[in-house]
Amino acid sequence: MISERDSETTFDEDSQPNDEVMPYSDDETEDELETQPAVEPEQNRINREVEVTRETLRKDCSWQVKANDRIFYELPQFKKTKFLCLKKSIYSGNAIKTYKYNPITFLPLNLFEQFKRAANFYFLILLILQSIPQITTLAWYTTLIPLLLVLGITAVKDLVDDIIRHRMDNEINNRTCDVIKDGRFRSTKWKEIKVGDVIRLGKNAFVPADILLLSSSEPNSLCYVETAELDGETNLKFKMSLEVTDQYLQEERALADFDGLVECEEPNNRLDKFTGTLKWKGRSYALDADKILLRGCKIRNTDACHGLVIFAGADTKIMKNSGKTRFKRTKIDSLMNYMVYTIFVLLILVSSGLAIGHTYWEQQIGNISWYLYDGLDYTPSYRGFLNFWGYIIVLNTMVPISLYVSVEVIRLGQSYFINWDLQMYYPEKDTAAKARTTTLNEQLGQIHYIFTDKTGTLTQNIMAFKKCCINGQTFGECRDKTGELRNRPEQVDFSWNMYADGKLTFHDQYLIEQIRSGNEPEIQRFFFLLALCHTVMVDASDGDLNYQAASPDEEALVTAARNFGFAFLSRTQNTITISEMGIVRTYDVLAILDFNSDRKRMSIIIRDPNGKIQLYCKGADTVIYERLHPRNPKRQATQEALDIFASETLRTLCLSYKDISNEEYEAWNKKFMAASVAVRNRDEALDKVYEEIEKNLILLGATAIEDKLQDGVPETISKLAKADIKIWVLTGDKKETAENIGYSCELLTDETKIYYGEDVSALLQTRLENQRNRTGSTLNSSQRTNEPFLQRGRKHALIITGSWLNEILLEKKKRKKKLLKLKFPRTPEEKQKHLQSKRKLEANKEQQQQNFVDFACECSSVICCRVTPKQKAMVVDLVKRYKKAITLAIGDGANDVNMIKTAHIGVGISGQEGMQAVMSSDYSFGQFRYLQRLLLVHGRWSYIRMCKFLRYFFYKNFAFTLVHFWYSFFNGFSAQTAYEDWFITLYNVLYSSLPVLLVGLLDQDVSDKLSLRFPSLYLSGQKDLLFNYKKFCISLIHGVITSLIIFFIPYGAYLQTMGQDGEAPSDYQSFAVTTASSLIFAVNFQMGLDTSYWTFVNAFSIFGSIALYFGIMFDLHSAGIHVLFPSAFPFTETEINAMLKPYSWSKLSLSLSTCTLPPVVIDYLLHSAPTSMTIWPSESDKIQKNRKKYKAEEEQWKRRPSVFQ
């Protein structure tokens, strides 16, 4: 008897997860089915069917396209209300618009977007406050100029981007093609094409809209297209028109008279699916994706083709897929925002305190001092209120306006460094590393977990036929013609085969002998199936056979059949031609049962020249074995061979066939044709019909294809592991294959203890029971058992299949069933009980998932096999959610896109499976081994540079701004500034911006070689050691101390001082200039002290900034400019008078030495002293001290002679 507690943790106790079975596809329902009523009332059934039919018709067939009839689309039912009584057609025009602005809207829209950012809006408010005379003590330009600079830089960037979009849109919209108008084909611009137009396209032309292929110049109206702009794949795909349109719609007159009506699905973003029906001449014809040419495709190897426009412009599938990508933010971004909020709160508190101080000063001194009377009879409280806003203005530089722009400049520079890195260039495919985003660079230095696909990511995805099992006998070993094993491999001679390409490496002479002798008909049937059952296209224009396949696996199998004497030569709509041991035969193709992720198999039904009908099927071993005839004597022998192939990390497929009688085929074909034109649920109907014919199969054997590891994969994984980065492999391959790949790439070793799904399930069940006993029957996710699952001191690994993953995570799903769900009224008590039960299940599920993540993260490596794309994303999301760790996902195929988008950082590999992963990624390159350089070099450097930039940026702004705070105690808290207005304006723009920007771009603690040699340097980023609230507080304290020194040393020096000429040099203007000069020297020299990697550019920026300050100040303080603008430039000759006196330079020297000497001593003791004297040396400090030694070792290794010479 199952207790209530047990029932909470399992959905289906009777079914144990099957390691060999892939979970249901991601298109299945997420919901568990409720218990269905035993009897459905008849009226309920009728009403439901009518409602479902109406809803389906409305959804699936609401899009109607009438050929050559533009008036048809003006009917009222095809109009929608746009605004008030204005109506617009539901059919989009073909002109596309990707730009955001036009000359009229650019300025207002761009400003509106920029002022939506909190920092920009804050400074706009400050600018408004500065225009109020009663509260401002700063000139308006001190805020306006920096704000205009920030807005201008961003606006120019947006303008350049939008101009590029305008040019691209115009280029595309003004392309031309032939469209039937007034009964003739006429050249027409793309933007003038409408839905329902019949168009003609030539060779190498781009498809202007989503069109239904009507006919082409190729036999049977085949059309070859390249889909590189859709999915990045350069291999050709073929499309085929309906037989009826191919027969009747070849001539211009016939195309002009064509009046067919297409009823199909509404515009959507599913590139691989299309459901519709063509009604013409009183008959209906089924339409699917194989008859649709999508916008963005390119016509290849086809002289001309004709099509009917179904979707245009914004309704096309490529445009529907161009939605916004999920915006990713870095951890430092979030922390930086919180720190800006902290500064803003600090600003308000300081301003409030100073305003209170002014109120008190007015009451005690201001009101009784007649010489301070300003003619305004304001109360002290009101003056304090005005001064609060005055100090908000004066101290506004605590919130740095240029921070975000500077961060973006640094990130852009780091992205270019990644793009320019020749050591991440893959010459074999002419593929360079590419940073596809500029916002995540520093996060590359903080990765905790890497989730990687296997095929094409860890492996090469270049398939080679290695072995096979035919009729229970395994072939592929090194054997001679008699079948005896040989020690020395000898390449098979394929010279007897005129179609052999000479590229296949095979050493089993016995298989060739069996094929040529014809003694084993099953062997010939095996390779005949490989040459027949596929979707490969062939191009024989150059006298040679060039295969174009949708996947490397399929191309490898067809090429193998070609080399073994069964060459695929050509195909038409209804036939396929094959050379069988030199004899060319053509077979009628009666039906092709397509492969998809649910079926995991493909079948073809043919009629041979003798009239015999046969079905040939290839697919995953699990699905083929389920459909075999009970009497298959070679079943066990083939299974043993499959296990051996998997242990050798080979990819496997099973092959089978069956004979079909004419009567059985005719009966099945009627169902097939009906399902093909079904209005609703066509895919489900076809799957059901396919299942009827794909049963009682006869097993032929299995193929084994090799997919080798990429170069440098084990070394890369080893280095990343030393950097404390954990690698999880998420793949759809079999458990044995995935496990052996784990050993090959050194994720697993002989010392590793491996846990499987059943082990984990038992451990988690025990842990869950213990947690329940401790916390009571109601689970609380915050109360957890923190004991580790695994013993420390030994390597552990987890290998789990998708079925076990769903079982453990309580994500087990069932196929969607079209059953009635009757909803009877519930009492309040039943509703409450149901709600409590649901909450209990959710809490239980959350606790189980958290326990699984805790267990998996204690393992040194995790391999998830037989997982779907959605499960890959789910695993990534679980680690993000429960571990709060920074994740990176890397893959090369479309099945990795979901995982790549879910992770904090997505990396795409330009592989054999197209460019879908690359186009969805944040970074891309050609090989997995480049990941170590991306993380350990570029990622770590970016993190170090950004952290140093932020620490220094906050420091220099605090040092600059807080001088006003100390000055307030000596000016009656009157909000008077301690500097000249122009100095305040240009400080962050010119005087201190360049050195910190260059440190953020160029600084490095150790070289790239040492970064790769010592992966442990990466740990500082993972632990957030270089930028956190502690570092922020240190920058704040450092800035406070610097501001104290900069203010009080000149103040004390000027206090009651007499110059050599008998005049007092202690006027306000001289004090302001001396303080400003001290600040410029202090912050720029401090930047120099913090610089680890000196270049000429760094030195020039520091000393150049100081020189620039003096040059500008001398100009702004000149008498000439004062005469022209006396109110804007009141400091006349102040800089010259102050700086020409030796006394001023002594104050500058004292301020500078006092500011810089303590940090130098502290840094020396903590980091730079000899090892015996250093208090807390970091790993980087130790390596820097020994860098000469490491460099000498590298030189010695280079000079060491090779053992192969």
Side-chain angles (χ1 to χ4, degrees), residues 84 136 164 199 203 342 414 417 452 478 498 558 562 590 727 770 809 855 875 930 992 1018 1077 1166 1194:
L84 297 178
T136 184
I164 294 173
I199 66 176
K203 190 174 183 179
T342 302
Q414 300 294 349
F417 292 153
T452 176
C478 297
M498 61 180 292
V558 177
R562 166 187 177 176
L590 304 180
I727 297 180
N770 294 337
L809 299 179
F855 174 85
V875 170
Y930 299 141
S992 62
Y1018 192 81
S1077 302
L1166 294 182
E1194 289 180 8

Side-chain angles (χ1 to χ4, degrees), residues 928-943:
F928 180 84
R929 66 177 182 268
Y930 299 141
L931 184 62
Q932 61 174 313
R933 185 168 181 84
L934 181 69
L935 300 185
L936 302 183
V937 178
H938 290 286
R940 200 180 71 84
W941 278 354
S942 295
Y943 173 74

